[in-house]
């Protein structure tokens, strides 16, 4: 989702190949044997390259064209943004996965992971008390990078999430979910077939 948002925002033209994770095309695995999506395959007459990490796809696409200035020009802000993304991708995601899919990790009680994840939500909420987005009045790389994970966390148990006293965070999530950008990338696409 976050890679798609960055590709859309940067007006990158690309062919979207929707796949089923349960039936990964051989071509995908030949490009990126780790078998996760998204995978961006860049190919021209003389060279090709593969970017198979969503954050790298975001950086690559917005690095080429960034009409909303999602990448900060201020080195301190940029470093704070990447620190927050790192906390999300390493720490928050760890807790999200265990809260959402405890059985995959041999766990019976997901709630300790929800509790630790909620501390990260509180930190985000504190940041959103002074501005509409995480790093100011407009959306940044950090908003785009974190939103899909906060959304997943919220959707595990919406009743629990809705009663949290974190109004700025909930308004931020609603705004991001209802944004034209997010709605446009959520359009259902037909599955790509290797034989087509
Ligand atoms: N660090 C990778 C993680 C990507 C990832 O885990 N993608 C999931 C789908 S959202 C996936 O492809 N899982 C493989 C599977 O379920 O077989 C990234 O951000 O690109």
């Amino acid at each position: 989702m976050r890679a798609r948002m960055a590709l859309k925002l940067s007006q990158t033209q690309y062919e979207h190949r929707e796949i089923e994770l349960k039936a990964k095309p051989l071509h995908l695995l030949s490009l990126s044997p780790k078998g996760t999506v998204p995978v961006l395959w860049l190919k021209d007459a003389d060279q090709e390259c593969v970017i198979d990490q969503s954050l790298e796809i975001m950086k690559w696409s917005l690095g080429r064209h960034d009409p909303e200035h999602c990448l900060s020009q201020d080195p301190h802000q940029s470093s704070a943004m990447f620190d927050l993304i790192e906390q999300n991708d390493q720490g928050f995601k760890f807790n999200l996965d265990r809260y959402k899919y405890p059985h995959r990790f041999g766990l019976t009680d997901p709630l300790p992971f929800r509790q630790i994840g909620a501390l990260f939500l509180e930190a985000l909420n504190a940041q959103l008390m002074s501005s509409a987005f995480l790093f100011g009045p407009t959306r940044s790389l950090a908003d785009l990078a974190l939103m899909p994970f906060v959304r997943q966390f919220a959707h595990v148990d919406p009743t629990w999430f809705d009663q949290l006293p974190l109004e700025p965070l909930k308004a931020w999530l609603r705004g991001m979910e209802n944004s034209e950008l997010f709605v446009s990338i959520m359009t259902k696409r037909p599955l790509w077939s290797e034989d087509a």
Side-chain angles (χ1 to χ4, degrees):
M1 277 178 205
R2 63 188 190 171
R4 268 196 257 171
M5 281 194 273
L7 287 166
K8 171 92 185 181
L9 198 53
S10 61
Q11 294 156 17
T12 305
Q13 299 297 315
Y14 69 102
E15 179 190 338
H16 184 111
R17 296 181 172 180
E18 190 72 30
I19 63 133
E20 255 185 318
L21 286 173
K22 288 194 195 105
K24 290 171 193 156
L26 291 175
H27 187 220
L28 171 85
L29 295 171
S30 72
L31 292 173
S32 175
K34 72 183 173 63
T36 61
V37 294
V39 172
L40 182 65
W41 177 33
L42 300 167
K43 188 173 185 295
D44 66 22
D46 348 286
Q47 53 180 345
E48 58 182 295
C49 119
V50 170
I51 310 180
D52 62 5
Q53 286 293 342
S54 56
L55 183 59
E56 295 307 316
I57 296 173
M58 298 181 84
K59 282 158 55 182
W60 174 83
S61 56
L62 292 167
R64 295 171 83 226
H65 185 51
D66 184 12
E68 292 188 12
H69 308 289
C70 288
L71 300 174
S72 176
Q73 298 306 311
D74 169 359
H76 293 291
Q77 191 177 64
S78 179
S79 142
M81 240 186 241
F82 282 109
D83 278 354
L84 189 65
I85 296 172
E86 171 89 6
Q87 285 175 42
N88 175 77
D89 290 13
Q90 303 308 325
F92 185 61
K93 179 156 189 323
F94 179 94
N95 292 304
L96 165 64
D97 288 344
R98 283 155 185 78
Y99 168 40
K100 188 171 176 185
Y101 308 111
H103 301 298
R104 283 191 194 170
F105 298 93
L107 298 163
T108 46
D109 184 6
L111 296 188
F113 299 94
R114 179 172 84 178
Q115 206 175 344
I116 306 171
L119 297 176
F120 186 65
L121 298 184
E122 281 171 27
L124 299 182
N125 188 66
Q127 218 158 317
L128 291 164
M129 284 166 89
S130 52
S131 57
F133 293 93
L134 291 166
F135 288 91
T138 56
R139 59 191 173 192
S140 68
L141 179 77
D143 297 281
L144 301 176
L146 268 61
M147 178 267 185
F149 298 92
V150 176
R151 179 174 177 269
Q152 270 194 61
F153 199 89
H155 286 199
V156 177
D157 182 349
T159 312
W160 171 81
F161 184 81
D162 288 345
Q163 57 76 45
L164 290 174
L166 305 175
E167 296 313 321
L169 176 81
K170 290 189 276 182
W172 169 83
L173 181 59
R174 268 196 309 276
M176 296 283 294
E177 282 182 314
N178 294 328
S179 68
E180 202 184 321
L181 176 65
F182 187 70
V183 171
S184 71
I185 63 111
M186 292 301 279
T187 328
K188 200 151 171 59
R189 315 261 190 151
L191 283 180
W192 177 74
S193 157
E194 222 148 359
D195 318 316

